[in-house]
Amino acid sequence: MTSSSTPGLTRFNTAEDDAARAALRAVCASGAWVEAVLARRPYPGPAALYEAGDAALAALAPADLAEATAGHPPIGRPTPGDPASAREQRGMADAPAALRAEMLELNLAYQERFGHVFLVCATGLTAVQLRDAVRHRIDNTPEHEREIVRRELGKINRIRLAGLVTAPGGAPDRPPTDGSPP
C-alpha cells in the first residue's frame, strides 16, 4: 500500500510541520518520539511509518519514556471528551462497581511503586483482564516494568498510527491539546 492509496497518510506527509507534529502528539506524548518520526517524512507507506515509530520508541531515554507515559490516563478513567481514550479503555466501561474500585486501588498502588500510571494496551481487553494485568505486573522490578511499558506503548502507538493513516482528515480522533475546541 502506498501513500497515495492511504489518504490519511498522504495528508500527514504533506501537512505543515506544526499540523503533523500535533497529529503525532496525539499518538505519543514524547517530544523526542514526535520529532524523530516527523524528521523522516514523507513516508512511502504505512509500514515505513510504523517502523519509524518503533525505532523512535526504542531510542527513547528513560525521561522521554516517562514523558510518553504521562500522556496516558489511568485505566478505568479515560480522558473526558477523548473518543480514542474511551475506545481504548472500553473494557472498563461496564465493569461492576467493585471491580472499578479495585482497579482504582491497584492503579494507585502501581503508581506509588513505579511513579507513573499503569500502562497497558487496553484495546480489546476486558475489565478482568486489565485488573489481572496490573496484579501480575505490580511486583516487577522497575527495570523489568520499564521494558514492559515500552512494549505496551509500542502497541498503543501502532494502533494510533494506524488510525492516523486511515483517518479521513489525516489525524486520529483525539481532542486538540492546545485548549481549542474539537
Side-chain angles (χ1 to χ4, degrees):
M1 184 179 297
T2 65
S3 176
S4 62
S5 65
T6 54
L9 182 58
T10 299
R11 282 188 201 88
F12 172 71
N13 278 336
T14 59
E16 295 292 326
D17 283 353
D18 286 346
R21 188 175 284 111
L24 290 172
R25 272 276 187 198
V27 172
C28 182
S30 166
W33 183 90
V34 168
E35 293 305 319
V37 175
L38 186 66
R40 294 180 61 184
R41 282 191 317 158
Y43 291 96
L49 176 61
Y50 304 150
E51 289 168 13
D54 292 346
L57 180 62
L60 290 183
D64 300 318
L65 188 60
E67 181 184 26
T69 304
H72 290 268
I75 295 294
R77 296 191 341 240
T79 304
D82 181 351
S85 178
R87 183 179 56 251
E88 290 168 354
Q89 294 194 29
R90 187 173 309 159
M92 288 299 297
D94 296 324
L99 182 54
R100 292 175 75 76
E102 182 181 6
M103 194 65 186
L104 176 61
E105 287 179 29
L106 287 166
N107 274 328
L108 293 172
Y110 179 97
Q111 189 162 353
E112 184 171 317
R113 174 159 167 71
F114 295 107
H116 58 81
V117 298
F118 172 66
L119 187 72
V120 64
C121 182
T123 301
L125 299 181
T126 67
V128 170
Q129 290 171 316
L130 291 165
R131 185 224 30 226
D132 291 350
V134 71
R135 279 183 177 172
H136 176 75
R137 288 174 42 194
I138 202 161
D139 291 326
N140 286 340
T141 65
E143 298 78 20
H144 182 64
E145 189 59 19
R146 189 171 24 256
E147 291 312 308
I148 293 172
V149 165
R150 191 179 299 268
R151 281 194 308 268
E152 293 298 312
L153 184 61
K155 293 175 194 176
I156 295 165
N157 287 356
R158 274 196 170 233
I159 289 168
R160 291 178 176 182
L161 283 172
L164 185 144
V165 166
T166 60
D173 60 320
R174 301 187 62 88
T177 57
D178 63 1
S180 62

